[in-house]
Amino acid sequence: MTKEERMNNARGVHKQGCNCCQAVVMAYADRLPIDKEAAMGVSAPFGRGLAGTREVCGCVSGMAMVCGLTGHTADVRPLIEKFRTEQGDIVCGRLLAAGKKPCNEMVADAAGYLADIL
């Protein structure tokens, strides 16, 4: 899949009701060593800033999950910093309050950042 296809996939599943973490993870479901149902389940509690607490953005959690499941753990910190630089923060509540970009675009961006390293 191309970077754009992964980004569009993330947007699409987010529009269908998946949370931000699930959207990022599901954009890479074909690359994960677990099935889609397990990927959806394990990423479910990480939406809306970790179980709705509006703490760490689900996009960031999703990128970390994909990296962990694909053996790219050394890439997690640089991805977090890229997200922070590009989006302005990694905390869900502050991102939403800033209103710079809708979640649907942030999930696409996160999927794109992953495409650059995977």
Side-chain angles (χ1 to χ4, degrees):
M1 241 188 254
T2 68
K3 178 178 179 174
E4 292 75 26
E5 288 171 328
R6 295 215 185 262
M7 292 173 72
N8 286 333
N9 188 336
R11 276 188 202 99
V13 295
H14 188 259
K15 283 180 183 175
Q16 292 173 359
C18 286
N19 69 44
C20 293
C21 184
Q22 288 173 315
V24 173
V25 170
M26 294 311 293
Y28 288 87
D30 64 310
R31 301 275 311 266
L32 305 179
I34 59 176
D35 64 42
K36 289 181 181 184
E37 184 176 308
M40 283 288 283
V42 74
S43 57
F46 293 86
R48 295 178 198 87
L50 188 56
T53 61
R54 293 192 171 195
E55 294 296 330
V56 175
C57 173
C59 297
V60 174
S61 297
M63 290 188 306
M65 282 185 192
V66 171
C67 285
L69 288 165
T70 58
H72 288 265
T73 55
D75 293 312
V76 174
R77 185 72 178 252
L79 281 171
I80 290 170
E81 293 309 323
K82 180 172 181 125
F83 190 92
R84 184 190 322 269
T85 299
E86 298 284 328
Q87 306 300 331
D89 211 321
I90 65 165
V91 176
C92 175
R94 292 193 297 246
L95 287 164
L96 293 174
K100 289 170 43 175
K101 194 177 272 192
C103 294
N104 197 258
E105 288 306 311
M106 284 189 277
V107 299
D109 289 346
Y113 302 157
L114 281 166
D116 292 337
I117 60 130
L118 295 179

